[in-house]
Amino acid sequence: MINGTYRFSFTSKNPPNFKKIRNIVLWSLLGIFVLVGVLTSFYTVDDKQQAVVTTFGKVTDITEPGLHFKVPFGIQQAHKVDINVYQKIELGYVTNADGSTTTVDDESSMITGDYNIVNVDFFVEYKISDPVQYLFSSNDPALILKNLIQSQVRNVVGSSTVDAVLTDGKENIQLQVKELVSDILTEYDVGLTLIDVRIQDAEPPTIAVVEAFKAVETAKQNAEAVLNDAKAYQNAKLPEAEAQADKLLQNAEYLKQKRINEATEAVAMFNAMYEEYKQNPGITRSRMYYETISQILPDVKVFINTGDSNSMNMLLPLESIVGGN
């Protein structure tokens, strides 16, 4: 105790080895550095992805699915992009987590070419076709595509009639929108490819108009049903009519051939008779005369003159000689 104050003094036999501590720290940092370098030198690309590799921010490679090496510590970076995945855009509605949908009036309400208001919902599918353009040509390619589709949808619907939008013109509208958007995407080249554009729903804004268009659609369906029934009746009756016509043709062909055969037979008979006539003209004339008389006058009585031309001697009746009555 000195002047009322206690002083304590400690003496260390082994003072700290700062050099050793420094080496330990340095080796630890080096180990951490190497470990971080090893862990950040490899990356894996899934089977539906491609990776765009940049070196100091410049694109130097595009890698396919698998395990790959890159220079660590941010010198090289791998930006993975879902290439072989169909992605969707919903226009006019939003699908909730529970599967229900919520209408987005600002996107679905449109004016047709004949100044009617309709609510049209579109479902769009697209995929990334160029990962480099997708990553670096614009800030948000998906938003650009959505705005582009919405613009072209309003353009096409605005040039269509309300009947076409609500009934039988949907397929044509979808095709026009897809062609227009695809052409613009090719021109702008934001790395996206449009796969499909479909109208999910199209309806007028009031219940009365909805019912009217439902009645129109029902009438069209009934007309199609009647047309199908008529075609079915035609298909059922046409073979029967064709069979009957074929039967008539065959019968006519048979009668034709029969007449030809009869005419040929008559010609042959006439030629034969003519040959006989040339050999014995007198006898043939007499025979033909008697045959004709017997056909014209079947009940005539025949008398045979047995004398000269001035004699009246005749043999009567001839039937008793030939055994007739």
Side-chain angles (χ1 to χ4, degrees):
M1 181 176 179
I2 301 175
N3 297 325
T5 302
Y6 292 95
R7 294 179 179 273
F8 297 92
S9 175
F10 296 93
T11 304
S12 175
K13 295 182 180 180
N14 298 313
N17 191 342
F18 292 103
K19 184 177 180 180
K20 184 177 181 181
I21 294 174
R22 184 188 63 184
N23 292 336
I24 293 174
V25 172
L26 290 175
W27 282 108
S28 298
L29 292 175
L30 181 60
I32 295 173
F33 180 82
V34 172
L35 180 62
V36 171
V38 171
L39 293 178
T40 58
S41 296
F42 296 93
Y43 64 96
T44 302
V45 181
D46 293 340
D47 57 351
K48 295 182 179 180
Q49 296 178 329
Q50 284 184 345
V52 178
V53 180
T54 58
T55 304
F56 295 113
K58 182 179 180 180
V59 177
T60 55
D61 193 13
I62 298 177
T63 56
E64 300 295 332
L67 181 65
H68 302 277
F69 171 81
K70 65 180 178 68
V71 179
F73 308 114
I75 297 175
Q76 284 189 326
Q77 293 183 348
H79 307 271
K80 299 178 183 179
V81 180
D82 294 328
I83 292 293
N84 298 319
V85 176
Y86 285 171
Q87 304 187 52
K88 67 177 182 179
I89 294 177
E90 298 172 336
L91 289 178
Y93 70 102
V94 175
T95 302
N96 303 317
D98 59 355
S100 61
T101 59
T102 302
T103 301
V104 182
D105 293 330
D106 293 342
E107 296 178 354
S108 63
S109 296
M110 304 178 192
I111 299 178
T112 63
D114 49 1
Y115 303 104
N116 287 285
I117 298 177
V118 292
N119 295 329
V120 187
D121 300 335
F122 280 84
F123 177 80
V124 179
E125 281 186 326
Y126 71 95
K127 73 176 184 177
I128 301 171
S129 57
D130 189 332
V132 176
Q133 292 295 108
Y134 174 78
L135 290 172
F136 303 111
S137 67
S138 61
N139 291 330
D140 193 345
L143 180 59
I144 293 175
L145 177 60
K146 182 176 181 179
N147 293 335
L148 178 60
I149 292 173
Q150 192 167 10
S151 173
Q152 297 305 317
V153 163
R154 293 186 181 277
N155 182 25
V156 174
V157 172
S159 61
S160 305
T161 64
V162 65
D163 288 339
V165 175
L166 298 179
T167 56
D168 57 355
K170 294 180 181 179
E171 185 175 353
N172 187 41
I173 292 174
Q174 295 170 174
L175 182 61
Q176 290 185 55
V177 172
K178 184 177 180 180
E179 289 178 351
L180 291 171
V181 174
S182 298
D183 292 341
I184 298 175
L185 280 179
T186 302
E187 180 181 355
Y188 287 163
D189 194 13
V190 294
L192 299 180
T193 297
L194 186 62
I195 303 300
D196 192 18
V197 177
R198 295 196 301 271
I199 295 178
Q200 288 291 93
D201 192 17
E203 60 183 9
T206 62
I207 298 178
V209 179
V210 170
E211 294 299 327
F213 276 101
K214 285 183 178 179
V216 172
E217 190 66 24
T218 300
K220 290 182 178 180
Q221 292 177 357
N222 291 337
E224 291 179 359
V226 172
L227 183 60
N228 292 334
D229 291 341
K231 288 182 178 179
Y233 179 80
Q234 177 187 4
N235 294 333
K237 292 298 183 180
L238 188 59
E240 180 180 347
E242 289 177 348
Q244 186 174 1
D246 185 63
K247 182 178 179 181
L248 292 174
L249 290 174
Q250 291 180 358
N251 187 45
E253 186 66 25
Y254 166 75
L255 294 176
K256 168 188 172 183
Q257 193 61 41
K258 181 180 178 182
R259 292 292 180 88
I260 293 174
N261 294 337
E262 289 176 351
T264 303
E265 182 180 357
V267 170
M269 184 179 295
F270 177 81
N271 290 334
M273 291 175 62
Y274 180 71
E275 292 297 330
E276 293 297 327
Y277 172 78
K278 289 193 299 182
Q279 296 178 9
N280 300 288
I283 296 175
T284 303
R285 281 198 299 270
S286 298
R287 181 178 61 81
M288 293 177 64
Y289 172 77
Y290 292 131
E291 288 178 353
T292 303
I293 290 299
S294 63
Q295 291 176 1
I296 296 174
L297 304 171
D299 297 329
V300 68
K301 294 184 179 296
V302 179
F303 296 88
I304 299 176
N305 188 353
T306 58
D308 55 19
S309 58
N310 296 321
S311 175
M312 295 300 294
N313 296 325
M314 293 185 179
L315 180 62
L316 298 173
L318 183 61
E319 288 81 354
S320 59
I321 298 175
V322 298
N325 296 324

